[in-house]
Amino acid sequence: MRVSVRVFALLCACVVGALVPSRAHAQHAGATDPVLRARALRAGSPLKMFIPSGTVRIVAWDRDSIVVRGRVPSSGTLMFGGRDTSGYKLVIEQRDGGELPESHLLIYVPRRSQLSLKTADAIVDATDVSGWFYTVSGRYHIDGAASSLDVEAMSGDIDLEATTPFARAKTGKGHLVVRGTPQDVDASTIGGTLDIATSSIMHGRFTSVTGDIHYAAAIAPHALFELSTHSGTIDLLLPHDVSARLELSTVDGEIDNGFASVRPAAAGVHNLRLSLGAASADITVRTFKGKVIVRSR
Amino acid sequence: MTQAHLTEERLQGAADGSLDAEQMRAVYGHLSECESCAAEVARLRTVMTRAREANTGAPSLDDLWPAIRSRIEESKVVAPKAFAGRASGASARRPWLAIGSTAVAAALLIAAFTQMQRWTPHASEAVSPSRDVAFASAVDSTRFYEDESRRLLNDLEMQKAMMGPSASASLSGDLAIIDRSIAEQKDALARDPHNIALQRLLAAAYREKVDLLRRANNAG
Ligand SMILES: [Zn+2]
């Protein structure tokens, strides 16, 4: 029984592997790399992974199986175990005294799998997966559809390009990009730049300490945003016909209002209130000593 | 499955991660084939996780939520519909959060939305009729994150020792950035104690500090 499932999964891997183009460059694992593990995995099973270094490509597919292709160097060992009820675990274990194993993996998981992936400095590209993603100094690019995404980096870069009702992303000095079509977003950096380039967000909180925040997109009707920094610049590039109520305040910085033709609802040295269009969205901008720039496209 | 089941000692070792790499390989090999041993290890892990969680003494955000919620409703600062369902439904909607230490992540999600709701732009700094309540809420929030960051700082040195030197340096650098911003904001707040924008910035800075320390916790 178990054997036939494995053979089936292997066959699936071959078929799907041939159909799914690998966007990765040469060193990434591809569909021609050897199958390292192939197992039945019920859709929706929790899957915990620890892959310290290298490149990882994760793709969700419509099969009840997990297939891992790629290469693991001799400094590492791939371990996989678990069961449906308690979840599964895939770990690249470092051999004693060895280098951080730099593996190159292509992993197919059942759609709706709830992943929990942790890396040290791996470069991860994932499509149609949900869950918790963590790295110390690696990089994440996540696209496709997700039920929720929670991505954390100590200092790595995060590029969210997914369609999801909920996304949370945090990094230190990494570059954080929010695009795709997320609805509720909580994104923050410490020193890194935060770029938001999507008009799908309904509830957004964007925070940085010293990093700059750039918002360059239309604003959804009735959206609710809050942007804040300590010293980073907050730059809003909006369509000229935007419909939003803007409340801008700075303790010790300056406000550069590009909508000069619109008479402010309230204006002081350190605060400005603007009603643009029908003012259906609500945007609050707050900074200690950063610059606030509001301009139209 | 011709080999014998794992010994009690091996099961324990697999659950708490105390086996060396060679033993771990053998044990994982068996666990990937034997459902009964895998189930036993999973059970032991659950027991250990619960024991660890019971020891942290961290205030549960689930417990804090009703009070925060009633404060919001009292203040009529925002209509609670927008985020309330999500905040209370966060863990239910995300089965993956139930495994291992990710319960912390669930609490964080709830905290995030709690704060988001509290800080919605409707609580206008200039015109809100319930400015005092909004201000008190910002002070509360600052206090909560300040306490939490102090608690998390206790483990910092151990965490740094477990990280690589470059990750540890990066963490120190980020903490210094946040601490400088907190110091500047506290100074400004001492001169202008009723500045609600400032109070909210301070709460946000402490929240960033808590988030950073929690991320550092996961690095080891
Ligand atoms: Zn067994």
Side-chain angles (χ1 to χ4, degrees):
Chain A
M1 180 68 185
R2 193 187 291 275
V3 172
S4 67
V5 166
R6 278 189 185 200
V7 171
F8 178 63
L10 265 164
L11 284 172
C12 297
C14 295
V15 172
V16 174
L19 294 177
V20 176
S22 172
R23 293 177 269 179
H25 17 94
Q27 62 170 353
H28 288 219
T32 54
D33 276 302
V35 171
L36 304 174
R37 287 290 187 286
R39 267 192 72 150
L41 185 70
R42 200 182 57 193
S45 295
L47 175 60
K48 277 186 163 185
M49 299 192 276
F50 177 56
I51 303 169
S53 193
T55 61
V56 186
R57 173 94 182 94
I58 307 171
V59 181
W61 66 0
D62 293 314
R63 309 279 182 192
D64 287 352
S65 58
I66 176 171
V67 170
V68 183
R69 283 177 174 271
R71 289 153 279 150
V72 177
S74 57
S75 59
T77 310
L78 189 152
M79 300 189 204
F80 183 79
R83 57 183 308 187
D84 281 349
T85 47
S86 54
Y88 289 82
K89 206 164 182 179
L90 188 160
V91 176
I92 302 293
E93 175 85 11
Q94 182 175 5
R95 282 188 203 270
D96 288 337
E99 297 272 289
L100 209 55
E102 207 176 283
S103 44
H104 299 285
L105 303 176
L106 169 60
I107 304 171
Y108 296 97
V109 298
R111 211 171 284 285
R112 298 188 310 282
S113 292
Q114 290 295 340
L115 304 189
S116 159
L117 169 60
K118 192 169 151 177
T119 84
D121 61 8
I123 296 167
V124 180
D125 197 346
T127 300
D128 291 332
V129 296
S130 306
W132 181 72
F133 301 84
Y134 182 90
T135 186
V136 177
S137 59
R139 289 211 303 266
Y140 276 104
H141 171 250
I142 302 179
D143 61 10
S147 59
S148 72
L149 290 171
D150 189 356
V151 192
E152 295 186 323
M154 287 304 289
S155 63
D157 296 337
I158 300 171
D159 181 0
L160 284 187
E161 201 183 353
T163 299
T164 180
F166 175 81
R168 177 179 177 271
K170 313 246 150 187
T171 180
K173 59 173 179 265
H175 183 193
L176 174 50
V177 180
V178 181
R179 44 190 183 144
T181 44
Q183 275 181 46
D184 287 10
V185 177
D186 182 3
S188 77
T189 73
I190 292 166
T193 299
L194 169 51
D195 283 318
I196 306 123
T198 168
S199 52
S200 65
I201 302 171
M202 287 307 299
H203 300 109
R205 177 151 71 167
F206 310 103
T207 315
S208 182
V209 184
T210 58
D212 294 344
I213 302 178
H214 304 126
Y215 182 98
I219 295 175
H222 308 290
L224 208 57
F225 293 172
E226 183 180 287
L227 304 93
S228 71
T229 67
H230 178 70
S231 59
T233 294
I234 300 176
D235 182 3
L236 304 176
L237 179 58
L238 308 171
H240 63 93
D241 57 351
V242 65
S243 168
R245 200 179 73 103
L246 270 64
E247 175 114 24
L248 318 173
S249 66
T250 167
V251 176
D252 205 12
E254 58 178 289
I255 297 173
D256 184 349
N257 175 20
F259 286 87
S261 58
V262 180
R263 215 177 80 174
V269 186
H270 296 299
N271 57 72
L272 183 68
R273 205 139 35 90
L274 285 173
S275 270
L276 304 173
S280 89
D282 248 310
I283 316 295
T284 300
V285 174
R286 214 177 274 131
T287 177
F288 183 76
K289 58 180 184 183
K291 187 173 184 177
V292 179
I293 303 168
V294 186
R295 52 206 175 106
S296 74
R297 258 196 308 239
Chain B
M1 245 162 295
T2 47
Q3 61 200 119
H5 285 305
L6 299 175
T7 62
E8 191 57 36
E9 196 189 344
R10 285 281 192 275
L11 290 169
Q12 286 281 353
D16 63 20
S18 62
L19 299 173
D20 67 32
E22 201 57 46
Q23 293 169 326
M24 203 66 143
R25 251 194 307 283
V27 165
Y28 266 79
H30 182 81
L31 291 178
S32 67
E33 297 294 330
C34 176
E35 298 222 333
S36 125
C37 286
E40 186 55 22
V41 170
R43 192 187 63 80
L44 289 169
R45 279 203 184 128
T46 310
V47 171
M48 286 171 194
T49 306
R50 287 210 186 112
R52 258 200 308 274
E53 279 165 2
N55 282 337
T56 58
S60 156
L61 285 156
D62 282 317
D63 295 338
L64 292 172
W65 173 248
I68 293 163
R69 173 67 186 262
S70 74
R71 185 191 279 281
I72 292 163
E73 281 176 353
E74 245 171 53
S75 71
K76 301 281 185 237
V77 170
V78 306
K81 61 174 164 47
F83 290 100
R86 184 174 299 282
S88 55
S91 39
R93 278 198 319 114
R94 300 190 178 80
W96 59 276
L97 285 174
I99 54 175
S101 64
T102 43
V104 174
L108 274 172
L109 288 181
I110 291 164
F113 279 104
T114 303
Q115 291 306 312
M116 215 157 172
Q117 172 155 28
R118 219 192 255 191
W119 291 352
T120 48
H122 290 301
S124 163
E125 272 130 35
V127 296
S128 170
S130 40
R131 230 186 98 96
D132 290 348
V133 181
F135 189 80
S137 148
V139 172
D140 264 13
S141 181
T142 307
R143 203 168 292 146
F144 172 76
Y145 284 114
E146 189 175 3
D147 289 349
E148 186 66 3
S149 67
R150 202 171 294 133
R151 194 183 67 76
L152 288 163
L153 276 171
N154 292 334
D155 302 330
L156 183 66
E157 287 314 312
M158 200 185 74
Q159 281 163 18
K160 280 186 177 170
M162 285 167 68
M163 290 175 184
S166 83
S168 163
S170 153
L171 170 60
S172 302
D174 282 347
L175 270 177
I177 290 171
I178 294 179
D179 283 340
R180 262 198 307 277
S181 76
I182 286 173
E184 285 181 31
Q185 289 169 14
K186 279 188 159 172
D187 266 8
L189 206 51
R191 291 191 300 270
D192 186 4
H194 301 293
N195 187 329
I196 186 168
L198 202 41
Q199 187 67 55
R200 284 186 165 151
L201 283 165
L202 183 62
Y206 272 117
R207 176 179 175 267
E208 286 310 310
K209 187 169 177 175
V210 166
D211 275 356
L212 173 63
L213 291 169
R214 287 190 174 152
R215 284 205 297 282
N217 239 328
N218 287 321

